[in-house]
Amino acid sequence: GSDEEGATTETTAAGGTETTAGGTETTAGGTETTAASGEGKKGGTLRVAVVGSTNDIIDGQYIVAKPDQFRLVMGWEPILCYDSDFNISYEHALAENVETVAADHYIITLKSGIKWHNGNPLTADDLIYSFERRLDPDLGLAPALSQLLDVSGLTKVDDLTVDIKLKQPAVTFLNGLAEYTATIVPKGYTREDAEQIGTGPFKLKSFTPGAESVHVRNDDYWGGAPLLDEVQIIDFADAAAAVNAFTSGQVDAIMDLPYAQAEAVKGNGDLTLMVSEAGSWLPITMAIDQAPFDDVRVRQAMRLIPNREQMVQQVLSGFGSVGNDMYGKLDGSYPKDLPQREQDIEAAKALLAEAGQENLTIDLFAPDDTAGLPEMAAAFAEMAKEAGVTVNVKVLDGGTYWGEQYTKYTFATSFWGTRPYLNQVAAGSLKDAVYPETHWPPADSDFADKYAAAIAETDQEKRYALIKEMQTEEYEDGGNIIWGFNNLLDAHANYVMGLEARPNMLNLDHFGRGMKRVWLDV
Amino acid sequence: MSTVDTPPPTAATPQPVRKPDGVFKVALRMWRTRIGVVLLVILVGIALFGPYFAPYGEQEFVGQPNTRHVEGTLLGTDYFGQDVLSRALHGGRSILLLAVASTALALVFGVAIGLVAAYNRGRLDDVLMRSMDISLAFPQLLLALVALTTIGPEPWLIVAIVAITTTPRIARITRGAAVPVVERDFVGAAEALGESRTRILWSELLPNVSGPLLVEANLRLTYSIGLIASLGFLGFATRVNAADWGLMVNENRIALSVQPWGTVLPAIAIALLTVGTGLIADGLSRASAGIDRAKGDQ
Amino acid sequence: MSEHVTLDIRDLRIEVDGTGNDIVDEVTLQVPRGQVLGLVGESGSGKTTVGLAVLGHARKGVAISSGSIEINGRALLSRSAKDLRAMRGSLVTYVPQDPSMSLNPALRIGTQILEVLEHHGFGSSQQERRERVEQVMTEVALPNDRDFLRRYPHQLSGGQQQRVGLAMAFACRPAVIVLDEPTTGLDVSTQSHVLATVRDLCHQHGVAALYVTHDLAVVANLADRVAVMYAGRIVEQGPTKAIFDNAQHPYTRHLTAAAPDINSDEPVIGLRGRAPAPGKRPAGCAFALRCELVTDECREQFPVERPVLRDHLVRCFQAGRGERLTPAQTPVSVRRDSESAPALQIRHVDAAYTGHQVVHDVTFDVPRGQCVALVGESGSGKTTLTRSVGGLHREWNGEILLDGVALARSSRDRPTAQRLSIQYVFQNPYSSLHPRRTVGESVSRPLRVAGASAREASHAAAEMLERVSLTAAYASRYPDQLSGGERQRVAIARALVCKPSVLVCDEVTSALDVLVQAAVVELLVGLQRDLGLSMLFVTHNLPLVRSLAQQVVVLADGKVVEAGPTEQVLTRPEQEYTQRLLADTPSIAAALAAD
Amino acid sequence: MGILKLVLRRLALGVLTLFVVSLAVFLLSQALPSDPARAVLGREATEENVAAFRAQYGLDQPMIKQYTTWIKGLLSGEPGVSYSNGEPIMDFLGDRIKNSLFLMFMGSLISIPLSLLIGSYAALRRDKTFDNANSVSSLILAAMPEFVLGAFLVVLFATNVWNIFPATIRIRPGEPPWSDMKGMILPLLTLTLAVTPYVSRVVRASMIEVLESDYVEMGRLKGLPERTVLWRHAMPNAIGPTFQVMALNVAYMAGGVVVVESLFNFPGIGLAMRDAVRDVNIPVVQFLAMFISFIYVITNLAADIGTILVTPRLRTRLS
Ligand SMILES: Nc1ncnc2c1ncn2[C@@H]1O[C@H](COP(=O)(O)OP(=O)(O)OP(=O)(O)O)[C@@H](O)[C@H]1O
Ligand SMILES: Nc1ncnc2c1ncn2[C@@H]1O[C@H](COP(=O)(O)OP(=O)(O)OP(=O)(O)O)[C@@H](O)[C@H]1O
Ligand SMILES: [Mg+2]
Ligand SMILES: [Mg+2]
């Protein structure tokens, strides 16, 4: 199976909602984020190991597998971005300013003087084309965005300014603009272009799926020329081969270091381990309208079964934090005051008995293409035994698992990236969500109405009040068992300078924002 | 009755019944065979009875994953925080059963096809052997990969695949060994008595190809173990997180430098098991070669 | 013997490596220039071992432990490997038994002859060596053109292969040549050519030859002197005539009595038992166990060699004693009930292998109670015809009638009673018994197949084993614990156990020693007399026919050439083919008479 | 003439084999329960995407049509396009095929002479120290699954014990396979250690049989030097029977490189096959299956012809 955890997921961080009210404020040009910023030696080639396959792609606005993220970040930049506190920022972004006129009306102004790799200037036409491309139903790049926007809502104001009218109010729109896939590509761009043009710090020199991509310095980069001559992103067939290459010095850094190697890297004076907290999670999903989970007591019992500490130890080797059946970890609205749910086998048994499900036997489905999910299911099954529940783990191949049956399973496993609460609700917790895995909300619930109100509410306090009600309902009755959040684990040789371990949404310090300030101390 | 018969004393008192030494007996006189048998007995013992001696359950969490020194464990924990020793003790049964089952199945079909081909000669022989050749041309591992990815790593499927890919090889060997036997006159004698075809295959041919067959069966068992372990290594086990030597090597390979036992223990187990069967195969083949040579002398 | 002795073997002892058990001991032999010494003895007596020792060679697991061998006065055994190599192939050469196995299948015959010359530095130039190759090819009566020399061994007939072996042996003009049963497996006409070649070459070039064989007729025709070996010892040696006319050792007398002769109608006389194997030899005379003249003295001590005449030596306390050996029973008094219908009628039978016809329109009868011998050269279709009779070969046309009833082609299609009343005994006793069944199981098998109960069958089997002079105790043995003759008896017992009316025997004695052959023939004669069996007896051994058959059918190229009563066909053959066949058959009586 | 006829017959048989294999491969890939469109497009894919995908790759056509299109493509050297990126298969497999063929070639180049040498020497020294040591060590090597062997080699020579060889090989796209010979060492070593024992055992057995033959003994009795006996009389006869095994091993390498390739990240067809199977990239799976069978057929043909050439009995029967 592959471990493109977070693959095909637009990742967004929490906290972004803070800036929506006063989104006009900017903190342009701040460079203090990179510890080793300022000077550094010029030149050299950085070689990074990733686990990839012939299935990998390069697209300025889309990814399939995890290495694609890296390659995207090297060449293309988003409209907005987050700073290290997960506040919306303009630092690494192409927009000079995004003005929130109303919850359904925004005006984007681009920074001036930015040039494409081919020397042409970045203009509003490119921005409009980029939205159009993401909305193209044939390409299917951004289904969530299509719910908010269609092409008729885009109006060019001047060479650097575009006016946007949404189909409905959605304060989450700004978060969408800060996703790393919300990039601007040059007008007429396609994935098949021989020359892949972006605004990023490195230009693509060559790409062979399953083998490597080579990126060379963009000397005309608007933020100042990067230091490295060249970045090679090298595909390895499996993590073991990548680790061997890393420890024997054939590459300088590795994305997604296997947990097992963390100790070895830590103990090696020549290597630096990067542990970055993230907001991604691996839930066990219960379809709340299907037996036996149509009985809320069964759902509650299931949530009392896992020993969450142990799950974090076992599935994540301790590289993660305990979850409380609640997502949106990095969002400002995350309900830290809800009591931490603990394992309670007796209570679970009692609930099951009440529901008449003492000797429950049930199939739990997992895909073979996502590392950790089958094992997580197995660990859960082992714990369920104690409560008298027989869980049979059924592993399906990825193609089948994510096919027609997906979102129809009664009891299954899934993965999600880091998102603010409301964005995640739109993605997974509504009847018309993109992936309604748990079939939430229940028929008699006003959850959907509250969501509609919250998303249109520009006042943060009021919005948070609404969100709190929604969270409480999901916490009590919901269909997700969220036992923990995983960290990102990367490593590099000591001579690689300019990468910092901090809470993040993407590996390798958000790939060093395109490795623009990374240098080699050799 | 006959003329100048000075009845020879040797003829009048035949020696006590001594069955001609079987391949096994002869093979057991060799050290390599004995070592092989000892290895096999130990490993099979571990595979079959190991679970009863395992300090922990097959999937029991005992502590921090990939750690060499965990209290209560001898060899530390694996990638999933489970006791390496207990996993290794649990992990032989499935691989052994699968290997034995698939080899047995392949033997049944391979021997049947080989004997029928050798006995009937002519067209049927051609057709059977050509189709064996064709199935040999089909890449074994590819078949395994495709079938397992699509249908899923079911035990029966693994057995079927290994059996299917092993059958042609056994059929070839059987045919090769049986052709000279078919030429021998006692087969003609049986035919003259009007014995049925199946009886001739079963009781005239089969016992006389048992030597080479035994060797081949052992060799195939060795390869089946290796193949099934390799499938485990490539990620196909019959159950999620199942204790399985091949799978264990794969799962823990990544931690080789941190917690070598997770990889080394099952790898040693597989190696000893295959070396054991291999040594026996080797002994048997030397023994049967010796026996055949002795027969040829007469 | 004296200065013109070329090969001089003294007190040779050869052991099984590591055990100290002797294979051969106290062997002392001399062969003068231009003479042929015949070394005879039953299988396993050590003939090949001695022959190889003459080249200073011992097989794997065997070692020459003491004694001396000299060739033209040069000692052989003490030499270094390199010296030995130089002598082998030039001074002393070897002609092996089976030419098809001893010629390298991957090399052209010309190359194989030439390389001997090259390695021994024969002549001074390659040209000279090539000429020698052509010359020696002519000497062995083979074509010597380039094309022939470029052939591979498999492109030659068996006789031609053996001549290439001879050419290789004579190429360097050796002083001594060892021939190890060079004609076994060749048919009579080829054999007679090869023998003539050997004789001429030895006499012309003054080569001393050691000729190893167990065929006494060949020895009588070829050898100047004969040495008889038993259990690794030379028990008697002397001039050929003396050995045949005036045998002193009881074993020699048994050997000659067991040899059938085309020119004599004396029945052959067999000898039971086996010579003791190396390591199992008794303290006294090795023949004591089988000797009818045995005394206590014989059991205690091996007699030394003593001369009977000047160059006739024997090792026996009882030398020259004992009566002339005679068969215990009178020859078969055949019931010639010509009125009653023949047991087996073969009518216009054609047989083929996948369309290729090898038997053409064969017709003859096997009268009830009589033995018909089917003779002919190798490949003449004898086996094919008899397998058709037995229903084992299915591709035939015509009619075969058993007791007047036509038989189906395949034994499978014949009713059980018919199947049981024709029984088949095969040529090779080593392959005709299931190696993993006991004798008892094998013999009772036909009855079991026919539906008898286990008890009935084993009872009948035990009875039949007695009938073929094996005790019932043999029932629990396995074939590999039996000698060839014993096995053939078991095979006969298996054939007879279901009381057949016709017994088909295909070369049943050709894999056996003369003594054993004689015993089996005696058995068959007795059975025919006592049970009134009708027999079809296939052989290419014409002398044997005399002792056994009342009628002879001569087959050539699948066609019947001549048929009639034995006496008439063997003494007054009408057809040229038969005459030639008889002329090529070596005869002891004729050879001795000629001297 | 005779040889030609035989080669043609074998060739015809090979074509038949490939035809049957193609049928099997096709039916097997049709039987895949997993929908390639889903597998390739991932969970993002909409119904429209899936339909478009099916139309693009002709998956909506009837089976017979799909089969004939595929076969026609194969025969004309255009075996189709990869599902994952729409590239023609040959474009992105071309290099990998070259790499794998080079690996196999080098593997054979090393292991075949090596096994001939070891096998014959063991036969000559039968039941002596070398033979016994070789027999036991080759047995252990043969018995150890490659992945265990390879993993040990990596720990030993590349990462933990000595860091002398690269742990993985890096052949840059467009570069020839011999551009990283240092990285080739461990993969080749693994392959050689995996293949040599088996072949050398067969060579030994065949050599022993020849050495025991009457004609070799006759060679000695002719007074030929041991060297001549061995190289001229024994070797040519011993080598014929080993051809089949060598062919089998070359074919084995073709199909079995998956493990070695994933251990050392070798950019060859083995890895491509693993990816393709996982991603249900049917055109690639089909093509690789055919390619591997093709290699099998070709090497067998070569072995047959080789056997005939060194065996006069067979060679002359034909002319
Ligand atoms: N390598 C060996 N090791 C031990 N004993 C052997 C070996 N080779 C032969 N013998 C024994 O030596 C004896 C003589 O064998 P040899 O081949 O010389 O007999 P022979 O008279 O030539 O017989 P035949 O007529 O069957 O050729 C036999 O009893 C045989 O079993
Ligand atoms: N299985 C076979 N297939 C084709 N031809 C065969 C087969 N067996 C025998 N022949 C041929 O049939 C002819 C007769 O063979 P057959 O064995 O009957 O001769 P034979 O007289 O018994 O010879 P021998 O004395 O050597 O036993 C020979 O030319 C032989 O080459
Ligand atoms: Mg002999
Ligand atoms: Mg015959």
Side-chain angles (χ1 to χ4, degrees), chain C residues 353-354 356 358-359 376-385 427 506-507 538-540 555:
Chain C
Y353 289 98
T354 50
H356 174 69
V358 296
V359 170
E377 284 177 301
S378 184
S380 55
K382 308 184 292 293
T383 298
T384 310
L385 183 66
Q427 166 169 2
D506 188 1
E507 314 249 21
V538 173
T539 185
H540 57 230
L555 215 57

Side-chain angles (χ1 to χ4, degrees), chain C residues 16 23 42-49 59-62 97 181 214 278:
Chain C
V16 177
I23 294 174
E42 66 186 83
S43 191
S45 55
K47 307 183 294 292
T48 299
T49 310
R59 279 172 290 189
K60 222 177 148 74
V62 175
Q97 166 168 359
E181 317 204 20
H214 51 226

Side-chain angles (χ1 to χ4, degrees), chain C residues 218-294:
Chain C
V218 167
V219 168
N221 276 277
L222 182 70
D224 301 293
R225 288 172 55 79
V226 176
V228 179
M229 249 187 131
Y230 186 79
R233 307 310 194 271
I234 305 291
V235 292
E236 183 166 6
Q237 57 173 310
T240 307
K241 202 168 162 55
I243 295 291
F244 283 98
D245 284 350
N246 185 23
Q248 297 291 310
H249 199 283
Y251 179 65
T252 313
R253 298 196 303 156
H254 269 288
L255 270 185
T256 45
D261 196 82
I262 189 94
N263 292 324
S264 117
D265 47 11
E266 282 179 40
V268 294
I269 300 167
L271 176 65
R272 298 279 312 279
R274 267 188 276 185
K280 296 195 178 126
R281 292 175 182 162
C285 175
F287 189 61
L289 292 172
R290 298 163 86 184
C291 184
E292 60 270 31
L293 305 174
V294 64

Side-chain angles (χ1 to χ4, degrees), chain B residues 3 5 119 191 195 203-204, chain C residues 272 328 411-412 437 522:
Chain B
T3 51
D5 253 344
Y119 184 62
E191 278 171 28
E195 290 203 31
S203 71
E204 309 288 325
Chain C
R272 298 279 312 279
S411 64
R412 271 190 227 294
R437 275 198 199 125
E522 278 183 293

Side-chain angles (χ1 to χ4, degrees), chain D residues 229-301:
Chain D
V229 171
L230 203 68
W231 291 107
R232 193 162 182 190
H233 286 241
M235 212 38 155
N237 288 296
I239 203 160
T242 61
F243 278 169
Q244 290 297 336
V245 187
M246 293 179 196
L248 217 64
N249 267 288
V250 173
Y252 160 80
M253 286 195 226
V257 282
V258 184
V259 174
V260 172
E261 291 190 0
S262 35
L263 271 170
F264 298 100
N265 205 48
F266 186 96
I269 55 170
L271 278 187
M273 181 161 89
R274 202 186 70 164
D275 282 356
V277 167
R278 185 187 55 201
D279 301 337
V280 203
N281 200 341
I282 290 176
V284 179
V285 172
Q286 288 174 333
F287 173 75
L288 286 176
M290 292 312 294
F291 181 73
I292 293 169
S293 306
F294 179 72
I295 294 204
Y296 177 91
V297 167
I298 288 292
T299 47
N300 263 301
L301 188 66

